[in-house]
Amino acid sequence: MRVRFRWKLMLSYAVLVLLMGGTLYAYLRHTLENYFVEDIRGNLLNEARLARLLATREDALGREAEAVADVIGREIKARVTIIAPDGTVLGDSEVPPAELHHLENHSNRPEVRQALASGEGSSIRYSETLRLFMLYVAVRLQPDRGEPGVLRLALPLTSLAQASSRLHTMLGAALLVALLLSLGLSYLLSRLVTRSLRLIAETATHVGKGDFQRRVPVSGRDELADLARVMNDMAERIGSQVERLATEKNRLDAILSGMGEGLMVADAEGTIVLVNPAFRALFSPGTEVEGKSLMDIARHPDLHEAFRQVVATGGEQSAEIPLRLPEEKTLATHWVPLRTDGRLTGVVAVFHDISDIRKLENVRRDFVANVSHELRTPVTVIKGYAEALAEGSVDPEKEARFIGVIARHADRLSRLIADLLTLSSLESGGVALALVPVEPARAVAGAAALVEEKAREKGILLDLRETATAPAVLADPGRLEQVLVNLLDNAVTYTAANGAISVSAADEGEMVRISVSDTGIGIPQKDLPRIFERFYRVDAARSRDQGGTGLGLAIVKHIVQLHGGSVSVVSTPEKGTTFSFTLRKAA
């Protein structure tokens, strides 16, 4: 059970009053009792001196001792005893004369010995005769002749006991009143003191809950006022510190959220403390990873080996790690140890996805290899036939054939260079499109006219009827014709004799989809994802024999994307292929 501070303060006041009152009570009791005894002793001694005068005049040590003792006892209301020099009792106001001889010899009484020795004596002791505590006072009687005797007065201490009892009652009552008054005053004082403490405690509670604007009213210049000032200053400092930390946290969160690289902070045991969204996207999309072990979210030996190396050596580590997450990715990782007071307490790791860079490097290598290969064949042929012609040993019939071969390969080389320049311009974004409304039917008819002769030679039927009702599209007429010619030329090239090619245009909301379908040899499913890559051919030998450069579909893709559309392909081997692309409607 919790005891409130106010009651503790009241209890301390009550204990203090009890200690002081008890001490004062004990001191006054002892002092007043001694005072009363000494006062009675002094009065009784004065009475004894007066009684000595009377006893001396009446010859108290002679035959009149009994009468003198009786007279003096009646006058001063005390027991009077006259004692001979040898200790024999000659007279006693409380004992009949016939019984005096039964009394003990009093020569050994303390007060008697003191009186005989110094003239006066006193003592307090229990009287066997009267069965009471008595105060005895004795004075020496000095007769004109003979040895001195002793006159002793005795007074019972019953009155002193009664006075002491009244004194105890008065002191106890005073102590009780003082205790009650002190409790009342201590209650009031404790309320005054604890009021400020309650305000300080309430303010501390609100500050602990995040209300840093709460302040304690300050009044006076005592210690509680100093405490209130310190409390207010502390609340202001904490508020400023929390605000600064919140600003720093928001800034850090913004930085981490804006980072393209994944970032992870883990303790020395491998438990993840902090990650950014890029890390979650890489390793654990849609799930919380804080508080989990690195082993639980990424079971990749190379990652754990890099982490262990940092913890073991305490140095930075950099590594390029291929991972499957679930697709194949290549991550460039950089590991940095965290230290506190020179002790390693954690690890910070940055994960940079360089898969696209590595893919681009592979594409670049493939591109260079493909360009070199594509250029080498016509250049070699032209060089060989040119050298043969230069030697002059060729008959006129072969010479004409050689010149025809050189011309064909020169044309192929020219087309290849033109396509490379076009593709380079499209990829660099250096091509400006002159967008105007174009009727799909008219654009398709213009492109079909360019491949019509080639199709007629193979007996291929061109069906353009499904483009007649299509709405106008926003396109560059020249670039749109280039797309259609490439698709139609490919369709004619890979469609067997007496096949069919159809072109359609369909309304799809804000877009128009134009499709070129053929009944040709089709494309295997494994080749479809790469069909729009540069120099990629399903049948490289046949494509090269047909005069293709391997760049047509890549050019188609880039032109369509520049128009804000998309391109796709659907194919079934030995049944045909459909290439489709979308363009925006003209307003």
Side-chain angles (χ1 to χ4, degrees), residues 314-329:
E316 297 185 15
Q317 296 284 336
S318 295
E320 190 172 303
I321 304 174
L323 302 175
R324 187 174 294 279
L325 301 166
E327 69 274 9
E328 190 73 27
K329 287 184 180 292

Side-chain angles (χ1 to χ4, degrees), residues 189-471:
L189 290 175
S190 63
R191 282 188 62 85
L192 291 176
V193 173
T194 56
R195 179 176 176 274
S196 299
L197 293 178
R198 284 197 306 273
L199 290 175
I200 293 173
E202 291 175 1
T203 302
T205 301
H206 284 281
V207 169
K209 293 179 179 179
D211 183 7
F212 302 110
Q213 302 302 318
R214 181 64 70 94
R215 296 292 183 269
V216 183
V218 179
S219 60
R221 302 183 62 84
D222 57 4
E223 288 80 0
L224 289 176
D226 292 339
L227 179 60
R229 293 187 187 94
V230 171
M231 187 68 196
N232 291 338
D233 183 63
M234 181 184 69
E236 184 175 356
R237 289 176 180 272
I238 292 176
S240 301
Q241 190 77 359
V242 169
E243 184 177 356
R244 186 179 66 81
L245 291 175
T247 302
E248 292 293 333
K249 182 181 182 299
N250 292 335
R251 184 181 296 117
L252 179 61
D253 289 343
I255 292 172
L256 294 179
S257 298
M259 286 180 62
E261 296 80 7
L263 182 136
M264 177 201 73
V265 180
D267 61 19
E269 285 72 36
T271 301
I272 296 175
V273 178
L274 175 68
V275 297
N276 68 340
F279 180 89
R280 288 193 183 93
L282 278 174
F283 289 94
S284 186
T287 60
E288 289 296 328
V289 297
E290 285 89 345
K292 296 182 179 179
S293 172
L294 180 60
M295 179 70 74
D296 294 335
I297 66 162
R299 296 183 179 276
H300 300 286
D302 292 340
L303 280 179
H304 301 294
E305 180 61 27
F307 177 82
R308 284 193 294 270
Q309 286 292 328
V310 175
V311 174
T313 64
E316 297 185 15
Q317 296 284 336
S318 295
E320 190 172 303
I321 304 174
L323 302 175
R324 187 174 294 279
L325 301 166
E327 69 274 9
E328 190 73 27
K329 287 184 180 292
T330 302
L331 301 181
T333 63
H334 187 69
W335 306 76
V336 180
L338 280 178
R339 298 185 181 278
T340 303
D341 298 330
R343 182 173 56 88
L344 190 143
T345 57
V347 175
V348 177
V350 178
F351 302 84
H352 182 52
D353 186 0
I354 58 173
S355 303
D356 292 339
I357 297 175
R358 292 292 176 261
K359 189 179 296 182
L360 287 175
E361 290 177 352
N362 293 332
V363 169
R364 187 180 297 111
R365 284 194 298 269
D366 292 343
F367 177 75
V368 172
N370 288 328
V371 169
S372 301
H373 181 74
E374 295 293 334
L375 290 176
R376 184 168 57 248
T377 300
V379 169
T380 302
V381 171
I382 291 172
K383 181 180 178 182
Y385 281 95
E387 288 176 349
L389 290 173
E391 291 176 356
S393 59
V394 179
D395 58 63
E397 184 180 349
K398 288 184 178 181
E399 182 178 341
R401 186 165 57 85
F402 284 4
I403 292 173
V405 172
I406 290 174
R408 287 198 305 274
H409 282 279
D411 288 340
R412 182 185 172 201
L413 189 60
S414 177
R415 289 195 304 272
L416 178 60
I417 293 173
D419 285 348
L420 285 173
L421 291 175
T422 299
L423 186 59
S424 177
S425 298
L426 292 172
E427 289 182 341
S428 65
V431 176
L433 300 177
L435 300 178
V436 295
V438 178
E439 295 291 339
R442 181 174 299 178
V444 170
L450 297 176
V451 299
E452 186 176 6
E453 181 64 26
K454 185 177 179 180
R456 186 181 302 115
E457 292 176 355
K458 297 181 66 173
I460 296 173
L461 176 65
L462 292 178
D463 183 2
L464 312 179
R465 290 173 298 177
E466 294 186 24
T467 62
T469 59

Side-chain angles (χ1 to χ4, degrees), residues 28-205:
L28 289 178
R29 174 184 175 184
H30 176 73
T31 303
L32 290 177
E33 284 185 355
N34 289 340
Y35 172 78
F36 287 153
V37 170
E38 292 301 323
D39 185 62
I40 294 173
R41 189 195 309 271
N43 291 333
L44 192 61
L45 189 60
N46 289 332
E47 292 177 351
R49 293 189 185 104
L50 292 175
R52 180 174 57 184
L53 295 176
L54 179 61
T56 302
R57 188 172 60 248
E58 297 295 334
D59 192 15
L61 295 177
R63 294 185 302 272
E64 303 297 329
E66 296 176 4
V68 170
D70 185 59
V71 171
I72 295 173
R74 284 197 306 272
E75 293 297 329
I76 63 177
K77 303 296 188 294
R79 179 182 179 184
V80 179
T81 304
I82 298 175
I83 303 168
D86 59 357
T88 302
V89 177
L90 300 178
D92 193 312
S93 61
E94 300 293 335
V95 178
E99 298 180 4
L100 288 177
H101 61 280
H102 294 298
L103 296 177
E104 294 180 357
N105 188 285
H106 284 30
S107 61
N108 60 343
R109 300 293 193 269
E111 67 275 7
V112 174
R113 292 200 304 269
Q114 291 175 13
L116 291 176
S118 60
E120 295 179 352
S122 66
S123 67
I124 297 175
R125 51 189 172 78
Y126 186 75
S127 173
E128 295 294 341
T129 305
L130 300 179
R131 308 291 181 180
L132 293 172
F133 275 97
M134 304 289 290
L135 171 62
Y136 295 97
V137 174
V139 295
R140 185 170 55 193
L141 292 176
Q142 188 68 41
D144 294 337
R145 58 184 182 279
E147 295 181 1
V150 174
L151 173 65
R152 188 183 70 177
L153 301 184
L155 187 65
L157 293 180
T158 54
S159 59
L160 179 61
Q162 294 173 355
S164 295
S165 177
R166 290 194 298 271
L167 176 63
H168 294 168
T169 302
M170 292 173 60
L171 289 176
L175 181 61
L176 180 61
V177 171
L179 179 61
L180 294 176
L181 289 175
S182 67
L183 287 176
L185 291 175
S186 65
Y187 177 77
L188 295 176
L189 290 175
S190 63
R191 282 188 62 85
L192 291 176
V193 173
T194 56
R195 179 176 176 274
S196 299
L197 293 178
R198 284 197 306 273
L199 290 175
I200 293 173
E202 291 175 1
T203 302
T205 301

